Amino acid sequence: MTGQVRTVDGRVAGRRGQATRQKLLDCLSEMLSSSPYRDVKVIDVARKAGTSPATFYQYFPDVEGAVLEIADQMAAEGAALAGLLEGRSWVGKAGWQTAQELVDGFLEFWRKHDAILRVVDLGAAEGDKRFYKLRMKILNSVNSSLADAVAELQSRGKVDKDVNPAAIAGSLVTMLAAVASHQKGFSAWGVKPPELRPNLALLVHLGVTGKKPSR
Amino acid sequence: MTGQVRTVDGRVAGRRGQATRQKLLDCLSEMLSSSPYRDVKVIDVARKAGTSPATFYQYFPDVEGAVLEIADQMAAEGAALAGLLEGRSWVGKAGWQTAQELVDGFLEFWRKHDAILRVVDLGAAEGDKRFYKLRMKILNSVNSSLADAVAELQSRGKVDKDVNPAAIAGSLVTMLAAVASHQKGFSAWGVKPPELRPNLALLVHLGVTGKKPSR
DNA sequence: ACTTGTCCTGTCATGCCGTCAGCTTACCGA
DNA sequence: TCGGTAAGCTGACGGCATGACAGGACAAGT
């Protein structure tokens, strides 16, 4: 099922090749964290990995291609985010708990992968379908769970009829993602991370249920 | 007060020079809309402007420098966003109106400047202070108005004591900005722009007042 | 026409990109 | 043990963008 790893010119990669490939990915990942996306050069990645630029091009068509690969690995890990909402309740104190844990998990995931997620976000915003699909893949698990929760509350008459669950869920997820990547910006507004979290959870809870949480 | 426009080597720019400079900025702006940030080259911008790369470097240290210039012009225009909240009420039907108009104005502004705002967002997320300050400058007007509104409702006991106005306002503004730049993503979730707007307004209203709007 | 200061570009050294041919290394079957 | 074969890597090269400079074109005032 997992298609074999192949080089650009079609050969299948063996043990050593895969190791080199992974090392290049790791080094690229590191470079993305330490320097602006625009300034990341193939030659620097290759140097850092102790190999030559030509080797890089053996495994990836270009920097973008390698970034997609990293993002893909991360997306797989991101599926775990759905677990934050699996079988959770949005009613009463449990609802407040759910909101808080969702926010925590989300911020944590984003902080861990911030460099690569920045690039994915940019690519998606620029209209590149590959990045855009990848972004979906990561957010979709959380998004659809949230949308389901809203729709369910709606069907029980606890949320107004004219609310669009997908729109609400999408907006909340987008908010979490954006706030996570601009956490530093909040310090400048005088908001420290520990203060941010409960307020975000409040917004999520309000958005999903339409009500203030009971703590 | 408006410091004279200067070339990189310190000369003051005359009328013709300023025109060339502005033309370069316009062409860069256009390129940013049509191709990925990473692929925008000085030589292309110069060609499009009917001039040479050397001319570009006479007015700007690099692409980034020119982008900052464009963003600065836009930030000035962005101050108008504050007007969307000037003297507005968040109570009753007027509150719902306020939320809707804020969302509309915000989405409109973002759509108009999406290309440059993408780059500013990236720069800010990467930790570049210049971009980061610029982003603040644009968002601050709206953000502080919103925070004031929350604080005022809070002082009248209409909002819980333990809410942090700045955190709520910042999160909402960040949400609006992010949703605006990923509007296309919502279509893929089956949410069309016209459906998006009222739901965003709902979230803003909920966030600011803690209550559902009365329509 | 001459001077002055602004404005633009030809040119050049430097460095990265992306490709290829060819060398080295590892594995495998006889 | 010994080729044979495919994987793995790199030096080298043409092409292009970068960024700096010096010098020429141009407009305005005298």
Side-chain angles (χ1 to χ4, degrees), chain A residues 66-81:
Chain A
V67 166
L68 279 166
E69 193 72 22
I70 297 177
D72 217 43
Q73 293 180 5
M74 184 198 56
E77 193 182 331
L81 284 174

Side-chain angles (χ1 to χ4, degrees), chain A residues 37-38 40 126 140 189, chain B residues 37-38 40 126 140 164 189:
Chain A
Y37 179 45
R38 203 169 192 282
V40 171
E126 279 175 344
N140 241 354
W189 278 328
Chain B
Y37 179 45
R38 205 168 191 284
V40 171
E126 279 174 344
N140 242 353
N164 181 328
W189 277 330

